[in-house]
mmCIF file of all heavy atoms in Angstrom:
data_model
loop_
_atom_site.group_PDB
_atom_site.id
_atom_site.type_symbol
_atom_site.label_atom_id
_atom_site.label_comp_id
_atom_site.label_asym_id
_atom_site.label_seq_id
_atom_site.Cartn_x
_atom_site.Cartn_y
_atom_site.Cartn_z
ATOM 1 N N ILE I 27 1.928 -69.397 19.524
ATOM 2 C CA ILE I 27 1.845 -70.857 19.630
ATOM 3 C C ILE I 27 3.127 -71.400 20.244
ATOM 4 O O ILE I 27 3.097 -72.211 21.173
ATOM 5 C CB ILE I 27 1.576 -71.497 18.250
ATOM 6 C CG1 ILE I 27 0.169 -71.133 17.768
ATOM 7 C CG2 ILE I 27 1.757 -73.007 18.300
ATOM 8 C CD1 ILE I 27 -0.102 -71.489 16.303
ATOM 9 N N GLY I 28 4.262 -70.940 19.753
ATOM 10 C CA GLY I 28 5.543 -71.376 20.299
ATOM 11 C C GLY I 28 5.690 -71.025 21.773
ATOM 12 O O GLY I 28 6.150 -71.835 22.575
ATOM 13 N N ALA I 29 5.283 -69.816 22.125
ATOM 14 C CA ALA I 29 5.369 -69.385 23.528
ATOM 15 C C ALA I 29 4.474 -70.258 24.412
ATOM 16 O O ALA I 29 4.877 -70.661 25.514
ATOM 17 C CB ALA I 29 4.977 -67.916 23.653
ATOM 18 N N PHE I 30 3.278 -70.576 23.911
ATOM 19 C CA PHE I 30 2.368 -71.424 24.691
ATOM 20 C C PHE I 30 2.957 -72.819 24.886
ATOM 21 O O PHE I 30 2.986 -73.346 26.005
ATOM 22 C CB PHE I 30 1.000 -71.515 23.997
ATOM 23 C CG PHE I 30 0.098 -72.537 24.627
ATOM 24 C CD1 PHE I 30 -0.487 -72.297 25.857
ATOM 25 C CD2 PHE I 30 -0.134 -73.749 24.006
ATOM 26 C CE1 PHE I 30 -1.302 -73.253 26.459
ATOM 27 C CE2 PHE I 30 -0.945 -74.708 24.587
ATOM 28 C CZ PHE I 30 -1.532 -74.453 25.820
ATOM 29 N N LEU I 31 3.439 -73.422 23.807
ATOM 30 C CA LEU I 31 3.995 -74.778 23.899
ATOM 31 C C LEU I 31 5.213 -74.815 24.821
ATOM 32 O O LEU I 31 5.366 -75.735 25.634
ATOM 33 C CB LEU I 31 4.367 -75.303 22.513
ATOM 34 C CG LEU I 31 3.210 -75.536 21.543
ATOM 35 C CD1 LEU I 31 3.734 -75.881 20.156
ATOM 36 C CD2 LEU I 31 2.275 -76.606 22.060
ATOM 37 N N LEU I 32 6.057 -73.814 24.707
ATOM 38 C CA LEU I 32 7.252 -73.749 25.545
ATOM 39 C C LEU I 32 6.888 -73.496 27.006
ATOM 40 O O LEU I 32 7.425 -74.151 27.905
ATOM 41 C CB LEU I 32 8.197 -72.671 25.030
ATOM 42 C CG LEU I 32 9.573 -72.612 25.660
ATOM 43 C CD1 LEU I 32 10.290 -73.952 25.556
ATOM 44 C CD2 LEU I 32 10.398 -71.522 24.996
ATOM 45 N N ALA I 33 5.952 -72.580 27.250
ATOM 46 C CA ALA I 33 5.529 -72.289 28.624
ATOM 47 C C ALA I 33 4.895 -73.511 29.279
ATOM 48 O O ALA I 33 5.160 -73.810 30.452
ATOM 49 C CB ALA I 33 4.553 -71.111 28.639
ATOM 50 N N ALA I 34 4.078 -74.235 28.516
ATOM 51 C CA ALA I 34 3.450 -75.445 29.063
ATOM 52 C C ALA I 34 4.516 -76.470 29.441
ATOM 53 O O ALA I 34 4.420 -77.119 30.489
ATOM 54 C CB ALA I 34 2.468 -76.032 28.050
ATOM 55 N N ARG I 35 5.516 -76.599 28.609
ATOM 56 C CA ARG I 35 6.589 -77.573 28.871
ATOM 57 C C ARG I 35 7.423 -77.171 30.082
ATOM 58 O O ARG I 35 7.739 -77.996 30.934
ATOM 59 C CB ARG I 35 7.474 -77.697 27.620
ATOM 60 C CG ARG I 35 8.555 -78.717 27.745
ATOM 61 C CD ARG I 35 7.975 -80.108 27.857
ATOM 62 N NE ARG I 35 9.057 -81.062 27.957
ATOM 63 C CZ ARG I 35 8.904 -82.341 28.045
ATOM 64 N NH1 ARG I 35 7.691 -82.855 28.040
ATOM 65 N NH2 ARG I 35 9.925 -83.141 28.135
ATOM 66 N N VAL I 36 7.777 -75.911 30.162
ATOM 67 C CA VAL I 36 8.593 -75.432 31.281
ATOM 68 C C VAL I 36 7.814 -75.557 32.587
ATOM 69 O O VAL I 36 8.371 -75.940 33.618
ATOM 70 C CB VAL I 36 9.060 -73.983 31.025
ATOM 71 C CG1 VAL I 36 9.678 -73.375 32.265
ATOM 72 C CG2 VAL I 36 10.043 -73.953 29.861
ATOM 73 N N LYS I 37 6.508 -75.236 32.543
ATOM 74 C CA LYS I 37 5.650 -75.339 33.729
ATOM 75 C C LYS I 37 5.445 -76.800 34.126
ATOM 76 O O LYS I 37 5.241 -77.103 35.274
ATOM 77 C CB LYS I 37 4.295 -74.676 33.440
ATOM 78 C CG LYS I 37 3.312 -74.745 34.595
ATOM 79 C CD LYS I 37 1.915 -74.343 34.167
ATOM 80 C CE LYS I 37 1.178 -75.430 33.462
ATOM 81 N NZ LYS I 37 0.851 -76.616 34.212
ATOM 82 N N ARG I 38 5.537 -77.677 33.165
ATOM 83 C CA ARG I 38 5.241 -79.111 33.281
ATOM 84 C C ARG I 38 3.734 -79.329 33.239
ATOM 85 O O ARG I 38 3.006 -78.932 34.132
ATOM 86 C CB ARG I 38 5.855 -79.742 34.521
ATOM 87 C CG ARG I 38 7.361 -79.716 34.491
ATOM 88 C CD ARG I 38 7.925 -80.580 35.594
ATOM 89 N NE ARG I 38 9.361 -80.445 35.637
ATOM 90 C CZ ARG I 38 10.195 -81.412 35.304
ATOM 91 N NH1 ARG I 38 9.733 -82.577 34.931
ATOM 92 N NH2 ARG I 38 11.480 -81.221 35.374
ATOM 93 N N GLU I 39 3.315 -79.992 32.188
ATOM 94 C CA GLU I 39 1.898 -80.220 31.954
ATOM 95 C C GLU I 39 1.299 -81.135 33.013
ATOM 96 O O GLU I 39 1.934 -82.093 33.445
ATOM 97 C CB GLU I 39 1.685 -80.848 30.568
ATOM 98 C CG GLU I 39 2.196 -80.017 29.404
ATOM 99 C CD GLU I 39 3.659 -80.289 29.045
ATOM 100 O OE1 GLU I 39 4.393 -80.912 29.853
ATOM 101 O OE2 GLU I 39 4.067 -79.873 27.966
ATOM 102 N N THR I 40 0.070 -80.838 33.405
ATOM 103 C CA THR I 40 -0.648 -81.690 34.345
ATOM 104 C C THR I 40 -1.339 -82.810 33.576
ATOM 105 O O THR I 40 -1.456 -82.756 32.343
ATOM 106 C CB THR I 40 -1.722 -80.893 35.111
ATOM 107 O OG1 THR I 40 -2.717 -80.451 34.176
ATOM 108 C CG2 THR I 40 -1.112 -79.701 35.851
ATOM 109 N N ASP I 41 -1.830 -83.795 34.294
ATOM 110 C CA ASP I 41 -2.576 -84.884 33.637
ATOM 111 C C ASP I 41 -3.796 -84.335 32.902
ATOM 112 O O ASP I 41 -4.092 -84.757 31.777
ATOM 113 C CB ASP I 41 -3.012 -85.933 34.658
ATOM 114 C CG ASP I 41 -1.856 -86.761 35.181
ATOM 115 O OD1 ASP I 41 -0.755 -86.710 34.599
ATOM 116 O OD2 ASP I 41 -2.045 -87.472 36.196
ATOM 117 N N ASP I 42 -4.526 -83.406 33.529
ATOM 118 C CA ASP I 42 -5.705 -82.830 32.869
ATOM 119 C C ASP I 42 -5.314 -82.056 31.617
ATOM 120 O O ASP I 42 -6.026 -82.095 30.612
ATOM 121 C CB ASP I 42 -6.469 -81.903 33.822
ATOM 122 C CG ASP I 42 -7.409 -82.661 34.739
ATOM 123 O OD1 ASP I 42 -7.694 -83.848 34.473
ATOM 124 O OD2 ASP I 42 -7.876 -82.069 35.737
ATOM 125 N N GLU I 43 -4.189 -81.358 31.655
ATOM 126 C CA GLU I 43 -3.733 -80.640 30.466
ATOM 127 C C GLU I 43 -3.390 -81.621 29.354
ATOM 128 O O GLU I 43 -3.789 -81.431 28.200
ATOM 129 C CB GLU I 43 -2.540 -79.749 30.806
ATOM 130 C CG GLU I 43 -2.948 -78.551 31.650
ATOM 131 C CD GLU I 43 -1.782 -77.786 32.229
ATOM 132 O OE1 GLU I 43 -0.653 -78.340 32.311
ATOM 133 O OE2 GLU I 43 -1.996 -76.618 32.626
ATOM 134 N N TYR I 44 -2.673 -82.690 29.686
ATOM 135 C CA TYR I 44 -2.358 -83.702 28.671
ATOM 136 C C TYR I 44 -3.630 -84.311 28.089
ATOM 137 O O TYR I 44 -3.734 -84.521 26.880
ATOM 138 C CB TYR I 44 -1.477 -84.819 29.252
ATOM 139 C CG TYR I 44 -0.015 -84.661 28.932
ATOM 140 C CD1 TYR I 44 0.912 -84.438 29.936
ATOM 141 C CD2 TYR I 44 0.451 -84.734 27.621
ATOM 142 C CE1 TYR I 44 2.259 -84.287 29.649
ATOM 143 C CE2 TYR I 44 1.791 -84.588 27.327
ATOM 144 C CZ TYR I 44 2.689 -84.367 28.344
ATOM 145 O OH TYR I 44 4.015 -84.216 28.046
ATOM 146 N N ARG I 45 -4.597 -84.594 28.949
ATOM 147 C CA ARG I 45 -5.852 -85.159 28.442
ATOM 148 C C ARG I 45 -6.553 -84.194 27.492
ATOM 149 O O ARG I 45 -7.065 -84.587 26.447
ATOM 150 C CB ARG I 45 -6.767 -85.526 29.605
ATOM 151 C CG ARG I 45 -6.331 -86.764 30.353
ATOM 152 C CD ARG I 45 -7.329 -87.114 31.468
ATOM 153 N NE ARG I 45 -6.851 -88.214 32.248
ATOM 154 C CZ ARG I 45 -6.261 -88.102 33.445
ATOM 155 N NH1 ARG I 45 -6.116 -86.915 34.011
ATOM 156 N NH2 ARG I 45 -5.837 -89.174 34.089
ATOM 157 N N GLY I 46 -6.581 -82.927 27.863
ATOM 158 C CA GLY I 46 -7.197 -81.923 26.995
ATOM 159 C C GLY I 46 -6.443 -81.757 25.686
ATOM 160 O O GLY I 46 -7.050 -81.678 24.612
ATOM 161 N N PHE I 47 -5.108 -81.700 25.774
ATOM 162 C CA PHE I 47 -4.296 -81.591 24.562
ATOM 163 C C PHE I 47 -4.555 -82.787 23.642
ATOM 164 O O PHE I 47 -4.719 -82.635 22.431
ATOM 165 C CB PHE I 47 -2.804 -81.532 24.907
ATOM 166 C CG PHE I 47 -2.353 -80.301 25.645
ATOM 167 C CD1 PHE I 47 -1.133 -80.301 26.301
ATOM 168 C CD2 PHE I 47 -3.121 -79.150 25.693
ATOM 169 C CE1 PHE I 47 -0.679 -79.181 26.978
ATOM 170 C CE2 PHE I 47 -2.678 -78.009 26.378
ATOM 171 C CZ PHE I 47 -1.456 -78.023 27.015
ATOM 172 N N LEU I 48 -4.584 -83.994 24.227
ATOM 173 C CA LEU I 48 -4.791 -85.202 23.428
ATOM 174 C C LEU I 48 -6.176 -85.198 22.779
ATOM 175 O O LEU I 48 -6.324 -85.583 21.613
ATOM 176 C CB LEU I 48 -4.598 -86.453 24.274
ATOM 177 C CG LEU I 48 -4.755 -87.786 23.543
ATOM 178 C CD1 LEU I 48 -3.750 -87.905 22.392
ATOM 179 C CD2 LEU I 48 -4.587 -88.950 24.523
ATOM 180 N N GLU I 49 -7.163 -84.759 23.515
ATOM 181 C CA GLU I 49 -8.522 -84.659 22.965
ATOM 182 C C GLU I 49 -8.523 -83.779 21.710
ATOM 183 O O GLU I 49 -9.130 -84.120 20.693
ATOM 184 C CB GLU I 49 -9.442 -84.070 24.035
ATOM 185 C CG GLU I 49 -10.864 -83.833 23.628
ATOM 186 C CD GLU I 49 -11.654 -83.181 24.753
ATOM 187 O OE1 GLU I 49 -11.560 -83.645 25.906
ATOM 188 O OE2 GLU I 49 -12.359 -82.191 24.463
ATOM 189 N N ALA I 50 -7.815 -82.655 21.766
ATOM 190 C CA ALA I 50 -7.746 -81.752 20.620
ATOM 191 C C ALA I 50 -6.972 -82.382 19.468
ATOM 192 O O ALA I 50 -7.393 -82.294 18.314
ATOM 193 C CB ALA I 50 -7.101 -80.430 21.029
ATOM 194 N N VAL I 51 -5.848 -83.031 19.765
ATOM 195 C CA VAL I 51 -5.045 -83.673 18.722
ATOM 196 C C VAL I 51 -5.861 -84.746 18.005
ATOM 197 O O VAL I 51 -5.887 -84.801 16.776
ATOM 198 C CB VAL I 51 -3.741 -84.255 19.315
ATOM 199 C CG1 VAL I 51 -3.048 -85.194 18.343
ATOM 200 C CG2 VAL I 51 -2.799 -83.125 19.728
ATOM 201 N N ILE I 52 -6.541 -85.586 18.760
ATOM 202 C CA ILE I 52 -7.370 -86.630 18.150
ATOM 203 C C ILE I 52 -8.515 -86.012 17.358
ATOM 204 O O ILE I 52 -8.848 -86.472 16.262
ATOM 205 C CB ILE I 52 -7.888 -87.619 19.220
ATOM 206 C CG1 ILE I 52 -6.718 -88.432 19.777
ATOM 207 C CG2 ILE I 52 -8.971 -88.530 18.645
ATOM 208 C CD1 ILE I 52 -7.067 -89.278 20.990
ATOM 209 N N GLY I 53 -9.105 -84.957 17.884
ATOM 210 C CA GLY I 53 -10.215 -84.290 17.201
ATOM 211 C C GLY I 53 -9.829 -83.696 15.863
ATOM 212 O O GLY I 53 -10.664 -83.583 14.955
ATOM 213 N N GLU I 54 -8.574 -83.320 15.708
ATOM 214 C CA GLU I 54 -8.096 -82.728 14.452
ATOM 215 C C GLU I 54 -7.464 -83.766 13.524
ATOM 216 O O GLU I 54 -7.104 -83.444 12.395
ATOM 217 C CB GLU I 54 -7.087 -81.618 14.748
ATOM 218 C CG GLU I 54 -7.666 -80.437 15.499
ATOM 219 C CD GLU I 54 -8.718 -79.663 14.720
ATOM 220 O OE1 GLU I 54 -8.538 -79.459 13.508
ATOM 221 O OE2 GLU I 54 -9.744 -79.282 15.315
ATOM 222 N N ALA I 55 -7.307 -84.994 13.990
ATOM 223 C CA ALA I 55 -6.649 -86.047 13.203
ATOM 224 C C ALA I 55 -7.659 -86.805 12.350
ATOM 225 O O ALA I 55 -8.866 -86.794 12.611
ATOM 226 C CB ALA I 55 -5.922 -87.020 14.133
ATOM 227 N N ASP I 56 -7.141 -87.468 11.320
ATOM 228 C CA ASP I 56 -7.951 -88.348 10.477
ATOM 229 C C ASP I 56 -7.828 -89.756 11.062
ATOM 230 O O ASP I 56 -6.929 -90.512 10.715
ATOM 231 C CB ASP I 56 -7.432 -88.312 9.040
ATOM 232 C CG ASP I 56 -8.248 -89.194 8.100
ATOM 233 O OD1 ASP I 56 -9.427 -89.479 8.420
ATOM 234 O OD2 ASP I 56 -7.705 -89.601 7.062
ATOM 235 N N VAL I 57 -8.739 -90.075 11.972
ATOM 236 C CA VAL I 57 -8.722 -91.357 12.680
ATOM 237 C C VAL I 57 -9.742 -92.284 12.024
ATOM 238 O O VAL I 57 -10.893 -91.905 11.837
ATOM 239 C CB VAL I 57 -9.045 -91.164 14.180
ATOM 240 C CG1 VAL I 57 -9.086 -92.494 14.907
ATOM 241 C CG2 VAL I 57 -8.027 -90.220 14.829
ATOM 242 N N VAL I 58 -9.297 -93.490 11.667
ATOM 243 C CA VAL I 58 -10.181 -94.454 11.007
ATOM 244 C C VAL I 58 -10.102 -95.807 11.715
ATOM 245 O O VAL I 58 -9.168 -96.073 12.466
ATOM 246 C CB VAL I 58 -9.819 -94.629 9.514
ATOM 247 C CG1 VAL I 58 -9.952 -93.315 8.762
ATOM 248 C CG2 VAL I 58 -8.438 -95.206 9.348
ATOM 249 N N THR I 59 -11.073 -96.644 11.424
ATOM 250 C CA THR I 59 -11.083 -98.007 11.946
ATOM 251 C C THR I 59 -10.750 -98.959 10.802
ATOM 252 O O THR I 59 -11.371 -98.911 9.740
ATOM 253 C CB THR I 59 -12.463 -98.361 12.538
ATOM 254 O OG1 THR I 59 -12.750 -97.436 13.591
ATOM 255 C CG2 THR I 59 -12.478 -99.772 13.087
ATOM 256 N N ALA I 60 -9.756 -99.802 11.032
ATOM 257 C CA ALA I 60 -9.346 -100.789 10.028
ATOM 258 C C ALA I 60 -10.302 -101.982 10.073
ATOM 259 O O ALA I 60 -10.858 -102.294 11.136
ATOM 260 C CB ALA I 60 -7.917 -101.258 10.302
ATOM 261 N N PRO I 61 -10.467 -102.667 8.964
ATOM 262 C CA PRO I 61 -11.338 -103.844 8.944
ATOM 263 C C PRO I 61 -10.628 -105.078 9.512
ATOM 264 O O PRO I 61 -10.567 -106.131 8.885
ATOM 265 C CB PRO I 61 -11.666 -104.006 7.455
ATOM 266 C CG PRO I 61 -10.467 -103.462 6.755
ATOM 267 C CD PRO I 61 -9.961 -102.344 7.629
ATOM 268 N N VAL I 62 -10.070 -104.905 10.703
ATOM 269 C CA VAL I 62 -9.392 -105.988 11.418
ATOM 270 C C VAL I 62 -9.822 -105.934 12.875
ATOM 271 O O VAL I 62 -10.226 -104.888 13.376
ATOM 272 C CB VAL I 62 -7.847 -105.894 11.315
ATOM 273 C CG1 VAL I 62 -7.385 -106.042 9.864
ATOM 274 C CG2 VAL I 62 -7.329 -104.601 11.907
ATOM 275 N N ASP I 63 -9.725 -107.069 13.552
ATOM 276 C CA ASP I 63 -10.143 -107.145 14.940
ATOM 277 C C ASP I 63 -9.317 -106.228 15.844
ATOM 278 O O ASP I 63 -9.853 -105.461 16.629
ATOM 279 C CB ASP I 63 -10.036 -108.604 15.419
ATOM 280 C CG ASP I 63 -10.638 -108.828 16.772
ATOM 281 O OD1 ASP I 63 -11.739 -108.302 17.024
ATOM 282 O OD2 ASP I 63 -9.993 -109.509 17.598
#
Side-chain angles (χ1 to χ4, degrees):
I27 292 169
F30 171 73
L31 294 173
L32 189 55
R35 183 66 179 181
V36 169
K37 179 192 80 65
R38 296 191 186 249
E39 301 89 345
T40 65
D41 288 347
D42 277 345
E43 289 169 341
Y44 261 115
R45 286 183 185 101
F47 293 163
L48 181 59
E49 177 183 313
V51 167
I52 292 171
E54 296 295 320
D56 181 23
V57 178
V58 299
T59 301
V62 297
D63 189 44

